[in-house]
Amino acid sequence: MALCPQVGEMRHLFSENIKQPLVDVLLAELRKATEARFAVAFVKHSGLVLLKKELLRCLERGVHLEFLLGLDFSITDGKALRWLRETAGETDKLSFFCFRDPLKDVGPTFHPKLYLLKRGSFATAIIGSSNLTGGGLKENIELNVIIRDRYDSETVNAVRDIYADFKYQEGLFTPNEAYIEGYEELTRHVRKTRDRTLSSKSTNKMIASLSRKEDRLPRPTIPDPSGLTGWQKLVYEKIPPGEFATKSMYRFVEEFRLPEYDASLLTSSKEMADHFEAAVVDSRFDREPQAQFAKFVSNWVLGELSRLLNATGTRIQDVKIHPQHYRELSQLIESGTLSSNMAKTVFEEMFNSAQSPAKIAPEAGMA
């Protein structure tokens, strides 16, 4: 099974725990990982122990590990939470957050099974039915799709953005020892009383006590970007290891009046955001023209530029297009000198030669 796709090629593989146990896939990925993010509904010590050796080796290499976990007073066990807490206390490379039980607020159930691992310029996203438990990783019959593609590909960017939405849902927190002890006590009570709906008076009393502990616990931190200006505000939380902080990004989307989807893709990597910023922020226009030009640049960066990057295997930081050339291209289109199809031809030559559109168009007989 190849670990990385060829440039421009996305591969889909599958794990069902029969011929291909998910634990084997994760262990192989962790051995080469430079980042790993897990978002799962349930975690048990039986699952962590299968990965423990490689997780610790990752931390020794300085790999950032992050876990988003659901709490249900049943399957997720305190032993797993305690191991994560103790390990996180020994390194700043591991962080974990738990999603409060939905019955507390009658909110949505946290039920994803997503494993997202970066390896250099590539990424593996595993999405399916397997929780971070012994059964989910090895013993049960499950079904997971394994997607391998470039880290800056549209597919991986979309998965990263979904992970960001998970991370910045209201209600995530990092449990301390007191909370874990309360969680274990409540879990034992629920099992003993078989109060699966958490509706009895005694259960509600214990939940209220646990909730008071929860309200004082740390949450995912979004640093204050008040010192930044322009498009840098959108970029700030996208620089590793916090590149998934789209909640802060959305507060600034209106500055350039871009759709949230565009903004999430443009800030999917520092290099992509830098390229966009160089073209847009340097312009000195009133708000409405600047917003229009920002959308113009966004369309070309996410459209033709991304296509050419994938087709040629070029990194965006190596792109030869000068930021000011986007302005020239816009003016040639607005003046009617270039049609949309002609502009695509000119843009490809801009990509290949670094020449300005004002020079390319006449030489090609387009002006």
Side-chain angles (χ1 to χ4, degrees):
M1 186 186 306
L3 288 178
C4 290
Q6 299 299 314
V7 172
E9 177 186 0
M10 178 174 63
R11 292 189 178 180
H12 294 78
L13 305 170
F14 298 91
S15 166
E16 75 304 60
N17 283 352
I18 301 173
K19 296 179 181 178
Q20 183 64 71
L22 184 58
V23 63
D24 293 344
V25 178
L26 286 172
L27 289 173
E29 294 293 336
L30 285 169
R31 291 186 188 107
K32 302 292 186 178
T34 52
E35 290 180 15
R37 319 266 177 166
F38 298 167
V40 293
F42 308 126
V43 58
K44 297 184 74 170
H45 190 258
S46 63
L48 285 177
V49 75
L50 294 174
L51 304 178
K52 181 177 178 180
K53 184 180 295 186
E54 288 304 328
L55 291 174
L56 293 175
R57 286 175 176 169
C58 282
L59 295 174
E60 290 173 359
R61 299 199 312 271
V63 174
H64 182 77
L65 305 177
E66 186 170 79
F67 299 81
L68 309 182
L69 310 167
L71 301 178
D72 66 332
F73 310 118
S74 178
I75 299 175
T76 292
D77 62 41
K79 190 174 182 180
L81 300 178
R82 185 168 287 106
W83 183 84
L84 289 169
R85 187 191 69 80
E86 292 174 352
T87 305
E90 299 172 357
T91 176
D92 61 355
K93 296 299 182 181
L94 187 149
S95 56
F96 76 107
F97 302 97
C98 295
F99 196 93
R100 67 167 64 125
D101 186 88
L103 292 178
K104 175 184 171 184
D105 299 312
V106 196
T109 299
F110 187 72
H111 213 251
K113 289 87 177 175
L114 167 62
Y115 303 83
L116 180 59
L117 303 100
K118 182 182 179 183
R119 178 188 177 187
S121 59
F122 292 90
T124 296
I126 302 169
I127 306 167
S129 63
S130 289
N131 280 297
L132 187 47
T133 64
L137 299 185
K138 187 176 181 179
E139 299 163 4
N140 300 339
I141 295 178
E142 307 276 359
L143 182 58
N144 302 282
V145 62
I146 304 165
I147 302 170
R148 293 192 174 109
D149 204 351
R150 294 192 64 87
Y151 189 67
D152 59 359
S153 69
E154 183 176 352
T155 298
V156 173
N157 282 336
V159 175
R160 293 166 65 192
D161 199 47
I162 290 170
Y163 182 95
D165 291 340
F166 292 161
K167 181 175 178 179
Y168 292 97
Q169 289 284 328
E170 292 185 8
L172 264 74
F173 61 94
T174 300
N176 57 15
E177 180 60 29
Y179 185 94
I180 294 172
E181 290 176 356
Y183 178 85
E184 289 177 318
E185 181 182 2
L186 182 51
T187 299
R188 288 191 295 269
H189 171 80
V190 170
R191 289 173 179 171
K192 181 178 179 180
T193 61
R194 298 184 180 179
D195 184 16
R196 300 298 184 188
T197 61
L198 309 182
S199 58
S200 72
K201 185 178 294 185
S202 60
T203 300
N204 284 330
K205 184 177 179 180
M206 295 178 72
I207 289 176
S209 175
L210 201 58
S211 296
R212 287 192 292 271
K213 292 183 175 72
E214 172 191 323
D215 292 337
R216 297 189 293 270
L217 294 173
R219 267 129 171 104
T221 300
I222 305 175
D224 180 12
S226 59
L228 301 178
T229 59
W231 191 256
Q232 290 178 345
K233 292 179 179 179
L234 300 181
V235 178
Y236 186 73
E237 281 301 315
K238 284 289 184 175
I239 300 176
E243 69 266 36
F244 297 111
T246 53
K247 188 173 182 180
S248 63
M249 179 190 71
Y250 291 153
R251 296 205 304 269
F252 305 111
V253 167
E254 187 176 352
E255 182 155 343
F256 290 101
R257 299 189 182 180
L258 287 176
E260 293 178 359
Y261 181 74
D262 285 28
S264 68
L265 294 180
L266 289 167
T267 56
S268 61
S269 72
K270 182 180 184 299
E271 293 77 16
M272 177 76 79
D274 285 346
H275 184 86
F276 177 86
E277 183 184 13
V280 176
V281 175
D282 186 54
S283 60
R284 298 290 182 263
F285 289 86
D286 293 334
R287 180 179 179 81
E288 191 62 34
Q290 187 177 22
Q292 292 175 354
F293 182 59
K295 180 57 178 172
F296 172 86
V297 176
S298 174
N299 289 344
W300 281 91
V301 169
L302 299 179
E304 284 301 298
L305 180 59
S306 294
R307 180 185 68 80
L308 291 168
L309 291 174
N310 288 331
T312 62
T314 304
R315 301 182 305 170
I316 192 165
Q317 55 265 43
D318 296 329
V319 167
K320 302 174 183 178
I321 298 173
H322 189 279
Q324 186 58 35
H325 292 171
Y326 285 98
R327 174 66 61 188
E328 292 184 13
L329 183 65
S330 172
Q331 292 170 343
L332 289 171
I333 295 173
E334 289 176 2
S335 67
T337 302
L338 296 179
S339 66
S340 59
N341 286 335
M342 292 165 67
K344 289 181 180 179
T345 301
V346 169
F347 189 86
E348 186 164 353
E349 184 58 29
M350 290 163 55
F351 179 87
N352 291 328
S353 69
Q355 292 183 334
S356 73
K359 181 178 181 180
I360 294 169
E363 291 180 354
M366 298 181 183

